[in-house]
Amino acid sequence: MYETLLSLIQTHHHIGIISHFRPDGDALGSTLALGLALQDMGKDVCMWNEDCVPARYAFLDGVEGIRPLPELVPAELDLLICVDTGDWKRLGDRAAALFADFPAIVNIDHHGTNSGYGHYHFIEGGEAACGYIIYKMLRSWSVELTPAIASALYTAISTDTGSFQYSSTTPGVMRAVADLLEAGVDVGDINRRIYQEIPLSTLMVNREVLNHMVVESDGALSHYSMPGGRKAELGISLEDTKDLVDIIRTVQGVRVSVIFEDLEDGRIRMSLRSKDPRINVAEIAAQFGGGGHAMAAGIRMKGTLEDVREQVLKAIREKLMEFQN
Ligand SMILES: [Mn+2]
């Protein structure tokens, strides 16, 4: 099936690659690995993201090639590849508008809830990372994995599997990682940079979360709410708030965790995690217009923090009642 994409690439020359806003390791690693590989194949490649590359990923070789969105779609662009993006709007408001009428869009993704936007689809719902799909593609095309490409793929796969802790970590994923190490990934260096260095501001936010998290429903549900204005008081940015749900999901006995964040534009952002395979948080998220994976999902919806929290927690409590321990 990857031959279809290879022939698409062979018949196009000016190729754009883009991923979701607030890019994570998989979004960046997938963009970068595919971008570098296509450059090596002689293509004219543009890599874009609506948001900046977070500081923790700035070490990746070639990541400076991921640029802010252009003002206009470049006239010569003849193929746009979207990676790790389950829904067109996840590209970001500006990107979604900019490329809305573009006639040749490829959708490569691993989200089971992918909406099927675009004209060519390479969707493998449930795979550990989009970077793992990109890895399989590059291998099937016999593309040389340079250390830069391998490091980008390793970062994508490592971050989306929670450092190979999630059950999406299949034998195939581990074989891919072994192959990437042979291609020149410096595991110790990458892991130190991504996981073992935390900005002070992030630790301050973590403290805030631990002070104010709520554990309820007989210890099965943990949540934390970041009210509007609190980010400014703490002097933190969006980037600092990304992994908060991972803190509250570690509580022993907790099966579902949610972070509510008032975005101060009339919308509430939520990150949901499940530790119970019977409770699919993507299904819960879908009830409110969100999406994601069975064990990790997100929602953005209009409303006040109190109203939104009430509705979403009610849906979660009902699921928890349905599947008692
Ligand atoms: Mn991903």
Side-chain angles (χ1 to χ4, degrees):
M1 70 180 276
Y2 300 143
E3 288 76 39
T4 324
L5 181 56
L6 181 59
S7 42
L8 260 178
I9 287 165
Q10 281 165 343
T11 50
H12 293 76
H13 191 67
H14 300 278
I15 301 174
I17 305 173
I18 189 165
S19 189
H20 60 81
F21 67 97
R22 291 182 74 180
D24 55 15
D26 191 23
L28 295 168
S30 296
T31 302
L32 184 57
L34 186 59
L36 294 173
L38 296 189
Q39 278 168 5
D40 289 347
M41 291 160 79
K43 301 295 163 182
D44 175 31
V45 177
C46 289
M47 297 181 279
W48 293 300
N49 200 280
E50 178 153 324
D51 288 325
C52 299
V53 173
R56 71 202 288 204
Y57 299 114
F59 72 91
L60 282 169
D61 204 2
V63 81
E64 67 286 351
I66 300 179
R67 311 290 305 162
L69 294 177
E71 288 292 316
L72 295 167
V73 179
E76 67 278 13
L77 189 75
D78 52 15
L79 192 66
L80 181 71
I81 303 178
C82 304
V83 293
D84 194 38
T85 305
D87 183 89
W88 182 248
K89 284 195 178 141
R90 285 273 296 154
L91 291 179
D93 291 341
R94 285 188 305 123
L98 183 66
F99 295 108
D101 300 322
F102 195 75
I105 294 169
V106 177
N107 176 347
I108 305 176
D109 190 33
H110 71 124
H111 294 91
T113 54
N114 191 293
S115 62
Y117 63 86
H119 309 97
Y120 308 97
H121 306 109
F122 302 90
I123 295 157
E124 297 179 35
E127 284 292 31
C130 187
Y132 178 49
I133 302 172
I134 306 277
Y135 163 82
K136 291 190 289 182
M137 289 174 167
L138 298 184
R139 269 301 182 220
S140 81
W141 302 339
S142 303
V143 170
E144 190 201 341
L145 298 183
T146 62
I149 293 173
S151 300
L153 291 174
Y154 176 85
T155 299
I157 297 169
S158 163
T159 52
D160 253 30
T161 55
S163 267
F164 313 107
Q165 295 176 68
Y166 303 157
S167 49
S168 57
T169 309
T170 59
V173 166
M174 292 312 246
R175 280 186 208 105
V177 169
D179 190 23
L180 295 172
L181 299 202
E182 281 171 351
V185 171
D186 185 340
V187 174
D189 182 60
I190 292 187
N191 287 312
R192 180 180 56 77
R193 288 171 185 273
I194 298 179
Y195 302 113
Q196 294 168 15
E197 291 188 3
I198 303 170
L200 181 60
S201 59
T202 304
L203 285 176
M204 295 303 176
V205 183
N206 295 356
R207 179 170 67 183
E208 172 84 2
V209 172
L210 292 175
N211 277 337
H212 296 285
M213 76 169 172
V214 174
V215 179
E216 56 149 279
S217 301
D218 291 330
L221 171 59
S222 63
H223 56 93
Y224 165 79
S225 305
M226 173 87 72
R230 194 69 188 116
K231 280 196 289 276
E233 282 170 31
L234 292 166
I236 58 164
S237 67
L238 278 176
E239 192 183 322
D240 299 315
T241 65
K242 268 192 97 158
D243 303 320
L244 299 185
V245 72
D246 291 327
I247 301 171
I248 63 170
R249 76 187 279 279
T250 58
V251 179
Q252 195 169 44
V254 159
R255 295 191 281 145
V256 178
S257 306
V258 201
I259 296 283
F260 298 89
E261 184 183 347
D262 191 334
L263 294 178
E264 298 172 69
D265 61 358
R267 293 182 305 166
I268 307 301
R269 183 183 82 99
M270 284 151 274
S271 297
L272 294 81
R273 295 290 184 274
S274 170
K275 290 196 280 185
D276 183 340
R278 300 169 302 172
I279 300 177
N280 182 331
V281 284
E283 277 172 12
I284 296 172
Q287 292 173 36
F288 301 98
H293 306 288
M295 311 298 267
I299 312 171
R300 271 172 197 244
M301 69 189 266
K302 291 204 174 79
T304 65
L305 183 58
E306 289 70 24
D307 282 349
V308 166
R309 185 171 52 201
E310 195 58 42
Q311 291 178 52
V312 173
L313 289 181
K314 184 166 174 283
I316 295 170
R317 288 179 194 128
E318 281 167 8
K319 269 281 175 246
L320 287 168
M321 291 291 286
E322 206 179 307
F323 299 104
Q324 302 265 22
N325 265 338

